[in-house]
Amino acid sequence: MRDGLTRKIQAPANPSGYRLFLEKFRASLIVISGAAEGNEIVVDQRRVTLGRGPGVDLAFDNPSMSQQHAVLEFVTDGFRVSDLESTNGVEVNGKRAKQADLHHGDRFALGNQVFQLLIEKRETAPRTYVVTED
């Protein structure tokens, strides 16, 4: 509505949904190019801000990145990257995006810093029962 009185309210995040996701899957970012190339960063927070810093969760020494460049956040059953009004923008799989849902293997660039999202199913040990004979 555009009556000037209606506010858009964001639904609260479902913390149990994220915990359930982490029980089943392991999410990580692989740094493909730029500062820290070749490193793997485990994503174990619901929301991670990326940039040069200060005030970000993951800081990189890369002049092509804004101080607070983008945010990676868990949504429903996966992740979304959103541009935080950065100077050089965000590209997902080679296309400019203000916001995009990410899937296993997707690449996103913040300036010339490129990341790849990996989502791997966690191996769980089968349940074991001890049966005693009475």
Side-chain angles (χ1 to χ4, degrees):
M1 295 185 149
R2 296 184 180 191
D3 59 9
L5 302 174
T6 306
R7 294 184 308 148
K8 185 176 182 178
I9 299 174
Q10 182 152 351
N14 179 358
S16 62
Y18 183 61
R19 283 193 298 270
L20 290 174
F21 177 84
L22 288 180
E23 286 177 12
K24 295 179 182 179
F25 300 97
R26 178 182 183 271
S28 62
L29 294 177
I30 306 299
V31 183
I32 301 298
S33 67
E37 181 177 332
N39 285 325
E40 178 181 23
I41 302 160
V42 175
V43 179
D44 56 1
Q45 298 177 37
R46 172 181 295 286
R47 186 175 196 277
V48 178
T49 54
L50 300 99
R52 272 195 340 259
V56 295
D57 299 308
L58 291 175
F60 297 89
D61 184 20
N62 188 323
S64 72
M65 294 176 76
S66 295
Q67 287 184 352
Q68 295 186 0
H69 199 109
V71 63
L72 179 69
E73 55 192 333
F74 178 79
V75 290
T76 312
D77 60 351
F79 290 90
R80 176 177 295 150
V81 65
S82 302
D83 189 358
L84 295 175
E85 307 290 324
S86 66
T87 302
N88 291 322
V90 174
E91 286 187 6
V92 177
N93 296 324
K95 296 182 181 176
R96 187 81 172 222
K98 199 75 171 131
Q99 186 176 73
D101 291 336
L102 299 174
H103 306 285
H104 171 74
D106 284 348
R107 291 183 178 204
F108 64 97
L110 311 179
N112 65 11
Q113 184 85 34
V114 181
F115 302 90
Q116 183 172 27
L117 176 67
L118 297 182
I119 300 175
E120 300 167 306
K121 188 171 176 90
R122 290 189 187 271
E123 296 295 325
T124 56
R127 291 184 181 177
T128 306
Y129 298 93
V130 176
V131 179
T132 58
E133 293 186 30
D134 292 335

